[in-house]
């Protein structure tokens, strides 16, 4: 992840209704020193400071880092003060940690909500990781031919080479593209619901008050805003909210179409990727607020699965 405000909400939701075994951060929305320190601060507010955080890459595989400070603020979390950490050069990086865990990841789901530099680096250094996780979900790119409101999605644009490596090697991969994430938007009027979640709600209010004003209208509705990375968490916890197609994918890595996701040439023999085609936006929104109520609202509120059963 590259917290980043929608990454932060994704971590809040995942920590509230699932078991987060670890976090790794990558340079993206803001530099690695900010994404790493921000992840620390978010887990502290969630009373989950024991969850290990591993730093990853400071830059994309090739070329300079492009940040998204215009959307996430100078330090990455809008009006909520995160943290900036000077990471010691010898600090264990996430790909070394993943390689050590490799045989024990079969029941773990990896969710990537930033540029895919960490995962690509891991796959190149430790190819056995290609089939290690129960599933890998990436918020990245878009269903080929579907990109109506964005020529390129940020995560794949920042590191197109990493995304292409991940699409080439990873087994059990599913992709949430901007075409679907921008359908699962949240009305600005929903933001008042954050007031019922005490200090977690205060943190999210200061982040989302900033982010919603800069991203509103991205899904086509000027009174709503996207939370792309939270949709990736829903794809793992509530896959039935989505419809899927299986396609081998590639990435345009250079030139004016850099970062565009296309169908992979057949001769590359790439594994099919489960690509989200559509989402039940109202059911996603219900799941999100039921999850927040269960995890951070009035004690005893049933979780979405308890409500469904
Ligand atoms: O394009 C949306 C993605 O880019 C999200 O992950 C957001 O956090 C930014 O990283
Ligand atoms: Ca992100």
């Amino acid at each position: 992840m590259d917290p980043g405000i929608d990454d932060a909400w994704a971590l809040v939701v995942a920590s509230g209704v699932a078991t987060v075994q670890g976090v790794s951060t990558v340079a993206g929305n803001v530099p690695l020193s900010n994404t790493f320190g921000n992840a620390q601060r978010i887990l502290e507010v969630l009373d989950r400071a024991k969850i290990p955080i591993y730093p990853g890459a400071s830059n994309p595989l090739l070329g300079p880092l492009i940040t998204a400070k215009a959307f996430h603020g100078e330090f990455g979390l809008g009006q909520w003060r995160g943290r900036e950490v000077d990471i010691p050069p010898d600090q264990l990086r996430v790909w070394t940690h993943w390689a050590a865990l490799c045989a024990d990841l079969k029941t773990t789901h990896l969710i990537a909500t930033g540029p895919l530099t960490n995962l690509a680096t891991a796959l190149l250094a430790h190819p056995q990781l290609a089939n290690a996780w129960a599933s890998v979900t990436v918020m990245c790119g878009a269903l080929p031919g579907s990109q109506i409101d964005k020529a390129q999605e940020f995560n794949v644009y920042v590191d197109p080479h990493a995304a292409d490596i991940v699409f080439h090697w990873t087994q059990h991969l599913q992709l949430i593209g901007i075409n679907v994430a921008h359908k699962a938007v949240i009305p600005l009027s929903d933001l008042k619901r954050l007031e019922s979640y005490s200090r977690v709600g205060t943190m999210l209010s200061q982040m989302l008050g900033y982010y919603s004003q800069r991203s509103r209208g991205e899904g086509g509705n000027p009174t709503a805003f996207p939370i792309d990375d939270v949709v990736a968490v829903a794809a793992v916890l509530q896959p039935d909210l989505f419809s899927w197609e299986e396609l081998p994918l590639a990435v345009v890595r250079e030139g004016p179409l850099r970062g565009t996701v296309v169908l992979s040439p057949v001769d590359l023999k790439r594994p099919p990727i489960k690509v989200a085609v559509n989402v039940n936006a109202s059911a996603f929104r219900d799941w999100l607020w039921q999850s927040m109520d269960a995890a951070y609202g009035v004690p005893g509120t049933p979780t979405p699965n308890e409500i469904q059963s």
Side-chain angles (χ1 to χ4, degrees), residues 1-2 6-7 29 113-114 155 229:
M1 66 191 317
D2 59 339
D6 57 332
D7 303 76
N29 288 319
T113 62
N155 289 334
D229 295 337

Side-chain angles (χ1 to χ4, degrees), residues 160-210:
H161 302 86
D164 204 44
I165 289 165
V166 170
F167 292 177
H168 186 85
W169 293 108
T170 311
Q171 306 293 319
H172 317 305
L173 183 60
Q174 60 181 18
L175 182 141
I176 293 291
I178 207 84
N179 59 297
V180 163
H182 280 187
K183 287 182 181 170
V185 291
I186 302 298
L188 291 165
S189 54
D190 271 14
L191 286 176
K192 61 181 172 304
R193 300 184 64 152
L194 294 171
E195 293 162 15
S196 12
Y197 307 129
S198 63
R199 71 179 183 285
V200 173
T202 303
M203 173 178 74
L204 288 175
S205 293
Q206 292 181 19
M207 293 180 187
L208 291 156
Y210 185 96

Side-chain angles (χ1 to χ4, degrees), residues 1-2 6-7 26-29 60 66 68 72 112-117 138-141 150 152-163 176 178 228-229 251 258-259:
M1 66 191 317
D2 59 339
D6 57 332
D7 303 76
V26 66
N29 288 319
I66 299 162
H72 299 269
T113 62
L116 295 173
T117 323
V138 297
M139 195 281 126
C140 172
K150 255 191 174 178
Q152 286 86 19
E153 181 278 322
F154 177 79
N155 289 334
V156 68
Y157 185 75
V158 167
D159 200 337
H161 302 86
I176 293 291
I178 207 84
D228 307 320
D229 295 337
V251 181
R258 165 192 164 133

Side-chain angles (χ1 to χ4, degrees), residues 123-144:
L123 291 169
L124 293 175
H126 308 284
Q128 70 277 19
L129 286 169
N131 194 22
W133 288 278
S135 74
V136 178
T137 300
V138 297
M139 195 281 126
C140 172
L143 176 72

Side-chain angles (χ1 to χ4, degrees), residues 68-101:
K69 292 181 178 180
F71 286 87
H72 299 269
E74 183 62 23
F75 303 106
L77 297 177
Q79 285 163 348
W80 192 74
R81 188 80 178 95
R83 181 179 292 154
E84 190 162 357
V85 171
D86 282 335
I87 300 165
D90 61 350
Q91 171 132 6
L92 187 75
R93 299 286 156 155
V94 64
W95 39 84
T96 308
H97 168 69
W98 281 338
L101 274 186

